[in-house]
Amino acid sequence: MQTIIRLKDVSKVYGEGNTEVKALSAVNLTIQSGEYCAIMGPSGSGKSTAMNIIGCLDRPTSGRYDLDGIDVSRLSDDDLAHIRNRKIGFVFQQFHLLPQLSAMENVMLPMVYASVPLEERSHRAEEALTRVGLGNRLNNRPNQLSGGQQQRVAIARAIVNRPVLLLADEPTGALDSKTTEEVMEIFAELNASGMTVVMVTHEADVASQSRRVVWFRDGQVLHDHLDPADLNQRAIAAS
Amino acid sequence: MVDLAESTKMAVKTLTANKLRSALTMLGIIIGNASVIAMVGIGQGAQRYAAEQFESLGPNTLFIIPGNDGGRRGGREVPRTLTYEDAQAIASQVPSIAAVAPQIQSQQAAVYGNRDTNATVMGATPDFSVVRSFPVEQGRFITDEDVQRRTRVVALGSDLANTLFGTTNPIGQQIRIRNISFEVIGVMEAKGAFLGTNQDDVAIIPITTMASQITGNVSLYGTEVTFISAMARDDQSINAAQFQISNLLRLRHRIVNTDDFTIQTQRDALTIVGNVTGALTIMLAAIAGISLFVGGIGIMNIMLVSVRERTQEIGLRKAIGASQSDILSQFIIEAVILAVIGGAVGTGIGVGGVSLVGAVTPLQAGVSPIAIVVAVGVSGSIGLFFGVVPAKQAAKLDPIVALRSA
Ligand SMILES: Nc1ncnc2c1ncn2[C@@H]1O[C@H](COP(=O)(O)OP(=O)(O)OP(=O)(O)O)[C@@H](O)[C@H]1O
Ligand SMILES: [Mg+2]
């Protein structure tokens, strides 16, 4: 099996002097292609910091990060932008759809920055939206869609450039339990079709969909391979 | 890197999504451009108008004026050193001159029956009509014989004839100037105003009659005249004429160093007018340019606000793969589009304003196509210039910080 993510002694320090915060300290983490991995842990434990580094939105202060075989820990801003565009799909808690654009246009956006030809763009966007069950909502603006539908548009946008890695930081944090289920179904389907999924969540229900839980505490990986099945007692014990 | 067409499409999308803000952003550029176009157009109209006025004085004309620049600028009364005899000498001795018209000028009351009015009375010679391109419409003009015999005859400007006689035929009637009776022999064609002075409110009498009976001053040198106009044979001989007249008058006036007369050609006058109106145009354009500059600052201002408002959008675009130059070009293109459209609309308004001025005033104000191209080009550059700062700010945003700013 192929390794997609390899973090080696990754640390992240914010600020300097007496305002210094060590958000991550010597994190080692390896995730294989095709895994469905949930990241959990108490608030402030460094989950989002780790996701930002994994998603190439940020660089580690020290340590090395290989994404899909490339050492990305020292790349320039524009090189990281290129990697984010081609290899990574993001899903955020706040959806982050552009309000002036239709569902189609929002989904086409990553392809604009990938210089995909115009006809192929609309074809692929429609395909992605159909895959998340929104084939009949192509021309709706975000404010004409429910929260769950908006998050599904965001998922379509994340997968449309055929990334090797789908990252989601609390994707259901803004959704009710019913729409949470809808969205989780899509993640499960995507993973079943081979997509590597890494997801930060606070909800045990959500994490139980995954096949591996990584538990963070105080900027370190406390448990690397928790079984989602015995999550509840462990979670209580850990926090 | 996203191509230009794509960035332009995105910019248009954003701008049309915020129509009111886009319109307000353009307002400064619209006003700036409209005023540049209007000011330059009207300034050039004024320039053309003044030039035409001087051309209407008669072709190839030289004006010989007593005194010199220094004397006149000092505001002192200039000695009337030019005489009727000088004019006769010029006529007989300067070969490049076709006609000479000395004139004595004075404001006098003109009376017919119970009507009286103030008019410019001119003592002139027959050549006056030729030199100044001022023909008679009815009756005849002053003749050599009138000048020799100092007859009391008068040719009336069209306005004066109208004021005194109304519908009555003036020819053969008697009018009184300074209580002396004159027979009306002719009425001149209407000539219009010269730089705002009515040229048709005149009474033209023989110069000798003027000198001996109305205002004549005979000095040591001869019969003083107000000034002399002369017509060169053709436009090639204007410079020669100026030189020859200068020499002749210096000789006659026994001048050693400073001339006591000034010769101005129509071309000189045109140059002066050109300089004055040119300076005026530049000044107007500068004022308008400042407002264009202020319009540019307006664009920068609103773009800066817009960058702050759209922080999350910028963060998202960067997160999904936009490079710094993608964001930079998107915002610069937005600024340039605003500026170019604002420039075009402003130019349209400016052209409309200029046509309006042209329609209601004698100024033949017009806007050259080059001015339009330049104006729109300049506003585009202003958008580029003032769009850079906000665009750089947008491009440098950290995507994590930008995404978190909810
Ligand atoms: N930009 C920053 N500057 C300074 N400190 C930061 C910054 N970002 C995060 N931190 C700090 O780093 C630590 C880890 O933050 P992080 O956001 O990764 O936590 P988290 O596990 O995602 O928490 P939550 O569950 O609340 O989202 C926290 O103490 C946080 O205050
Ligand atoms: Mg977090």
Side-chain angles (χ1 to χ4, degrees):
Chain A
M1 212 177 241
Q2 199 188 339
T3 302
I4 293 285
I5 296 168
R6 182 193 306 255
L7 296 178
K8 181 107 181 57
D9 291 330
V10 164
S11 297
K12 182 73 193 180
V13 180
Y14 289 113
E16 343 176 320
N18 46 8
T19 63
E20 187 179 285
V21 178
K22 202 150 196 196
L24 293 178
S25 43
V27 169
N28 287 291
L29 182 64
T30 304
I31 295 175
Q32 306 296 330
S33 174
E35 275 197 80
Y36 189 161
C37 178
I39 294 180
M40 297 189 78
S43 184
S45 58
K47 304 183 295 292
S48 293
T49 305
M51 282 295 264
N52 288 339
I53 288 173
I54 291 170
C56 294
L57 284 166
D58 206 355
R59 294 185 199 82
T61 310
S62 65
R64 175 181 167 134
Y65 169 33
D66 293 88
L67 169 68
D68 200 20
I70 308 165
D71 178 9
V72 296
S73 37
R74 298 286 173 268
L75 290 184
S76 73
D77 283 352
D78 278 355
D79 287 338
L80 288 182
H82 189 254
I83 299 243
R84 290 195 294 271
N85 184 239
R86 303 304 166 95
K87 293 196 178 287
I88 298 167
F90 284 102
V91 178
F92 306 94
Q93 183 178 354
Q94 306 298 337
F95 320 141
H96 287 307
L97 299 175
L98 299 194
Q100 74 268 26
L101 303 184
S102 69
M104 274 286 274
E105 289 167 326
N106 266 292
V107 174
M108 288 197 287
L109 215 49
M111 293 187 281
V112 170
Y113 294 112
S115 303
V116 173
L118 202 60
E119 319 80 65
E120 194 185 332
R121 251 183 248 168
S122 50
H123 169 73
R124 265 162 64 177
E126 195 176 337
E127 197 178 67
L129 280 165
T130 309
R131 197 162 169 195
V132 298
L134 288 176
N136 55 348
R137 291 282 191 281
L138 301 181
N139 296 313
N140 290 44
R141 297 272 180 92
N143 61 7
Q144 299 166 327
L145 296 170
S146 72
Q149 289 172 328
Q150 288 185 53
Q151 193 61 301
R152 281 191 274 161
V153 174
I155 294 171
R157 180 181 64 193
I159 60 172
V160 77
N161 258 355
R162 295 161 188 160
V164 294
L165 180 60
L166 184 59
L167 299 178
D169 195 347
E170 301 187 43
T172 59
L175 301 177
D176 60 36
S177 54
K178 190 181 166 292
T179 46
T180 293
E181 250 166 64
E182 285 172 24
V183 167
M184 291 321 296
E185 242 166 68
I186 293 166
F187 277 108
E189 267 171 41
L190 288 170
N191 177 248
S193 69
M195 176 79 75
T196 314
V197 178
V198 179
M199 175 186 299
V200 172
T201 181
H202 282 290
E203 298 164 69
D205 288 354
V206 170
S208 63
Q209 300 255 347
S210 71
R211 284 180 273 136
R212 169 186 174 189
V213 173
V214 177
W215 195 277
F216 271 71
R217 202 174 72 183
D218 297 334
Q220 287 178 306
V221 177
L222 191 64
H223 301 285
D224 194 346
H225 272 91
L226 276 182
D227 185 345
D230 46 39
L231 200 56
N232 282 346
Q233 60 197 100
R234 288 281 194 164
I236 294 157
S239 47
Chain B
M1 174 79 197
V2 174
D3 68 44
L4 197 66
E6 200 69 55
S7 314
T8 308
K9 237 193 292 175
M10 282 196 293
V12 168
K13 192 100 198 172
T14 309
L15 294 177
T16 48
N18 295 288
K19 288 194 188 65
L20 182 63
R21 184 171 67 190
S22 301
L24 288 175
T25 314
M26 280 190 274
L27 201 58
I29 288 286
I30 292 177
I31 293 171
N33 236 288
S35 40
V36 168
I37 292 288
M39 294 303 177
V40 172
I42 291 168
Q44 284 175 344
Q47 210 161 349
R48 221 170 300 150
Y49 173 72
E52 275 165 18
Q53 292 276 296
F54 274 91
E55 271 153 20
S56 77
L57 288 178
N60 309 329
T61 309
L62 297 96
F63 300 95
I64 306 140
I65 307 156
N68 57 38
D69 265 355
R72 269 189 307 161
R73 282 212 195 105
R76 282 175 275 124
E77 182 64 24
V78 174
R80 290 274 161 84
T81 51
L82 277 182
T83 63
Y84 180 45
E85 291 74 17
D86 285 335
Q88 286 174 316
I90 293 168
S92 59
Q93 292 174 41
V94 177
S96 51
I97 286 295
V100 177
Q103 81 192 57
I104 304 173
Q105 206 165 302
S106 151
Q107 288 296 120
Q108 299 291 342
V111 184
Y112 172 69
N114 57 1
R115 300 193 197 192
D116 73 300
T117 181
N118 222 31
T120 305
V121 177
M122 284 184 191
T125 56
D127 274 352
F128 175 84
S129 168
V130 178
V131 174
R132 303 295 293 276
S133 314
F134 199 6
V136 281
E137 176 161 296
Q138 193 190 354
R140 65 172 180 88
F141 196 62
I142 294 159
T143 60
D144 284 327
E145 203 190 328
D146 290 324
V147 174
Q148 272 156 29
R149 295 179 43 206
R150 303 180 183 180
T151 52
R152 292 176 188 169
V153 292
V154 61
L156 300 178
S158 57
D159 279 353
L160 182 59
N162 212 10
T163 312
L164 291 180
F165 292 98
T167 50
T168 317
N169 182 1
I171 307 294
Q173 304 289 339
Q174 298 284 325
I175 65 165
R176 299 180 74 81
I177 298 170
R178 236 191 162 189
N179 257 337
I180 300 164
S181 213
F182 282 81
E183 184 194 340
V184 178
I185 52 168
V187 175
M188 312 302 287
E189 268 181 15
K191 193 159 170 69
F194 171 69
L195 297 179
T197 312
N198 189 347
Q199 298 182 92
D200 296 320
D201 206 17
V202 292
I204 304 164
I205 63 176
I207 190 165
T208 47
T209 316
M210 182 80 175
S212 59
Q213 296 177 45
I214 306 289
T215 61
N217 266 330
V218 180
S219 71
L220 282 169
Y221 310 110
T223 308
E224 293 174 2
V225 296
T226 312
F227 67 91
I228 300 169
S229 25
M231 188 171 73
R233 290 204 180 280
D234 49 51
D235 66 341
Q236 253 98 62
S237 32
I238 294 175
N239 287 342
Q242 186 171 7
F243 179 73
Q244 288 161 357
I245 294 170
S246 272
N247 278 345
L248 178 66
L249 290 182
R250 279 179 196 148
L251 217 63
R252 287 178 58 84
H253 295 189
R254 300 198 170 78
I255 285 165
V256 195
N257 26 47
T258 318
D259 285 354
D260 61 355
F261 60 88
T262 308
I263 302 177
Q264 248 168 25
T265 63
Q266 197 191 21
R267 207 178 292 155
D268 296 335
L270 277 178
T271 312
I272 292 170
V273 168
N275 287 346
V276 171
T277 53
L280 192 75
T281 305
I282 289 170
M283 195 187 76
L284 292 174
I287 293 171
I290 289 170
S291 71
L292 198 58
F293 187 79
V294 172
I297 290 178
I299 288 196
M300 179 162 71
N301 245 324
I302 299 194
M303 293 291 293
L304 281 171
V305 173
S306 158
V307 168
R308 189 161 301 170
E309 251 172 38
R310 288 157 64 194
T311 307
Q312 286 201 54
E313 172 193 332
I314 296 160
L316 182 273
R317 285 182 187 273
K318 291 190 114 181
I320 61 171
S323 65
Q324 292 208 9
S325 50
D326 288 334
I327 301 291
L328 189 77
S329 62
Q330 184 190 343
F331 277 83
I332 287 182
I333 287 170
E334 278 181 30
V336 170
I337 289 176
L338 285 175
V340 167
I341 293 178
V345 171
T347 301
I349 294 173
V351 170
V354 168
S355 325
L356 194 70
V357 168
V360 300
T361 69
L363 297 188
Q364 288 186 331
V367 182
S368 63
I370 297 169
I372 294 174
V373 172
V374 168
V376 175
V378 164
S379 25
S381 324
I382 281 181
L384 194 67
F385 183 77
F386 287 103
V388 164
V389 172
K392 275 202 166 149
Q393 223 177 60
K396 277 195 298 213
L397 279 179
D398 178 351
I400 303 172
V401 177
L403 280 171
R404 246 204 324 252
S405 71

